[in-house]
Amino acid sequence: MTAGSTSGLEWKEGDVPVSLRFDDPYFSLGNGLAETRHVFLAGNDLPERFRDGFSIAELGFGTGLNMLATWIALRDQGFQGEMRYTSFEGYPLEADEIDRALRAFPEAHAVAAPFLEQWGAGSRVITLPGLRAEILIGDVRERLPAWTGRADAWYLDGFSPAKNPEMWGADLMAEVGRHTAPGGTFATYTAAGHVRRALGEAGFAVERVPGFGHKRHMSRGVKA
């Protein structure tokens, strides 16, 4: 556990951060960046859907890896305009913890300096070329219902449903549906039946599709 951390970490396999609170790693013990691209970007048909004003929302900011992968995709596409990125995080990491974790992914770490500088200065609104991110800290069960935005795409990336059931409850999935624009999408690494059912009840047409690496399945869906 890192001294002074409010998040409660231990490090495995060198630089893989694991939450002591949920006994779950912040990213894949394999290639977390490749998993992000498979699950959250491809799962939401991104970057093909990127446009000015497009809104992404996320449950579980963690190390910011998903945000950085999205920003890299924007840059590589030559995106013109500004996208909005809203993330809900209950237990934010310190800047030095994020920096250490991102070193596992040289491509992401190479572009992380502007984010880390703002985060380390205490800002929870991160401005990057083409992307404006706001990280809402606190209990998502309070923060999401109060949020006034609607997402075109959701990254559902909380800790495992078995270890963090509050993040995946039916009431919260209903709020995800309520805060999704018509035709909006979600993607998540989990294929747990109760999560898929809750998202179906929240108004999504849900499908189970091949997961990343050793994970047989993941879930994605479109808001009717």
Side-chain angles (χ1 to χ4, degrees):
M1 180 174 176
T2 301
S5 169
T6 60
S7 48
L9 289 183
E10 64 177 350
W11 298 88
K12 291 187 176 179
E13 298 188 12
D15 289 315
V16 176
V18 176
S19 169
L20 292 172
R21 184 175 286 104
F22 299 108
D23 187 30
D24 211 21
Y26 276 83
F27 45 70
S28 169
L29 297 177
N31 190 332
L33 182 56
E35 182 173 39
T36 285
R37 287 170 167 155
H38 176 88
V39 174
F40 299 114
L41 292 174
N44 280 294
D45 297 321
L46 305 176
E48 291 81 4
R49 295 169 61 209
F50 286 164
R51 55 175 171 76
D52 186 36
F54 192 84
S55 175
I56 294 172
E58 172 184 56
L59 298 187
F61 184 70
T63 64
L65 182 63
N66 297 339
M67 180 192 72
L68 291 172
T70 302
W71 189 39
I72 291 169
L74 283 176
R75 180 199 62 186
D76 291 351
Q77 192 188 49
F79 179 78
Q80 300 295 317
E82 184 177 79
M83 283 181 40
R84 298 187 300 273
Y85 193 103
T86 305
S87 188
F88 298 85
E89 174 59 52
Y91 307 99
L93 300 180
E94 303 290 344
D96 63 335
E97 295 171 331
I98 294 175
D99 179 62
R100 177 177 174 181
L102 290 175
R103 290 180 185 275
F105 311 108
E107 184 182 358
H109 190 259
V111 301
F115 155 51
L116 290 170
E117 181 178 359
Q118 294 173 66
W119 188 264
S123 178
R124 297 300 178 257
V125 175
I126 307 298
T127 56
L128 303 168
L131 183 69
R132 182 183 187 276
E134 181 176 13
I135 296 82
L136 301 176
I137 306 300
D139 190 332
V140 67
R141 293 169 294 180
E142 299 174 358
R143 299 306 306 263
L144 178 53
W147 184 46
T148 58
R150 288 200 301 177
D152 297 298
W154 276 94
Y155 299 170
L156 303 183
D157 196 23
F159 290 113
S160 164
K163 297 179 178 181
N164 186 20
E166 292 83 2
M167 183 69 93
W168 303 94
D171 289 348
L172 192 58
M173 295 301 98
E175 290 293 336
V176 168
R178 190 169 73 85
H179 290 85
T180 303
T185 61
F186 82 85
T188 179
Y189 64 86
T190 184
H194 69 92
V195 174
R196 289 188 287 114
R197 287 190 295 272
L199 285 162
E201 292 169 359
F204 291 95
V206 180
E207 60 177 336
R208 190 174 66 171
V209 296
F212 175 80
H214 69 279
K215 297 179 181 178
R216 292 181 58 195
H217 300 113
M218 56 170 274
S219 304
R220 55 178 285 176
V222 180
K223 183 76 180 295

